Amino acid sequence: MLVLGAVLRLAWLGRKSFWLDEIISVCIARLDAPGFRNIVFSWEANMSLYYALLRVWMGAGAEREFAIRLLSAIPAILAVLVFYKVGARLFGPGTGVTAALLLAVNAFAVRYAQEARSYSQYLLLVLVACWMFLRAAESGRHRDWAGLALVLTLAIYSHFFAALFVPVLWAGAAYHPRRYQVWKPLLAASLATGTAALPLLLFVLLKDKGQLDWVPKTRPQQFYDLFELMSGHGGWPLLALSGAFLLCAAVGAVRCANAARANRWPHILLWSWLLLPIALTALASLWKPLFVPRFLLLCLPPFLLLVAAGARVMRPQWLFALALFALTGLSLRATAEYYRTGFDPPEQNWRGLVQDAVARAEVGDAMIFYHPLARLPYEYYRRRFAAHTVADVVFPRRADARLLKGTPPDTSFLVSLPVRYRRVWLVQNYGPDHFTREVIS
């Protein structure tokens, strides 16, 4: 499963251009030390651990798409191994292997293993935190609980949404067979994690500058989209098959309700892990929209482990093998489709755009970058293809941050452009609006 996961996560890793969010990661990692501290502390504290690691990674020579994305692919490969260990500890080696296979071929997991962002690192650390919790609850050793606190802290510094795993652990601990021995050290680990993550809490409370204003209001369709992605982004056939096995797992959980606590608590842990983060995010979204499927990547392991557990109860054995073959085949087909077209978000070919623009640009041309972020991919790819031959007209200027929140920009400077430049290129990363129509006219 580890080899299969590695092959799928490394395949065509550098083929596609960086999209805008990946370019932002690279640009943050390239900043000098004061600039890096300033942007992390004032604007991008989320994923701060990833940015720090990427800074070191790029300092060691990683520059191209494959090398930079390799920092995401490596933890995604290791996640398959850790996921097997979690599944084997909860339900036995057979279910662990089945779950590892489903994660290895899952297009949602592969997609974010091939992105220069923190998602695969965040997923790995949540899985390690789960494994550390299971180990600490069994052994009771202080070093295991300390390890859990450390891994949880690193996970939260990788992505804020990792904090949603803390209430999951409490829900699991409430039904653990040794809950009276577990709750005190878990409380201590949670307090240690909260103390270490306090700067991030202060950032969330005091540094909201509209970083998530792009997130739409939560709609019922988004819940369907999330579960469709977790099933492997294979459309309704794969979602329906996965849903059938989830139902089998739910029936198994009900049958365990009157059984020994040791038999039912793994089901409670997994269902809490799957549903609690989704419910808490939906609840918080009533106040501020936060429901983005990739943010909830931590829900993918319990989803797949429950699917694996539901499939394992099928009898006779050949029926289970047939079901697993269908799940794997549909997942691989979806992964192949991802390689071909991409998804969430659709492919942004900044590399091809900049290469074409640099090849066709002439002395005396100018470029207008509508929205400051549109200039970042140009600056990244320009140095790869040719010397700079185009004058840059940056719009809006740094002082006009209102544009980031949708305030109409002042277009008066457009009148002077035909006098100063032969041709004007417009580079934008949003759809046509009043400003672009004025540029064209």
Side-chain angles (χ1 to χ4, degrees), residues 263-283:
N263 293 331
R264 68 176 184 261
W265 94 268
H267 293 274
I268 294 173
L269 174 66
L270 286 179
W271 283 104
S272 300
W273 188 356
L274 175 62
L275 299 177
L276 259 181
I278 296 173
L280 292 174
T281 302
L283 186 62

Side-chain angles (χ1 to χ4, degrees), residues 184-197:
K184 285 185 179 179
L186 179 58
L187 175 61
S190 301
L191 289 174
T193 300
T195 302

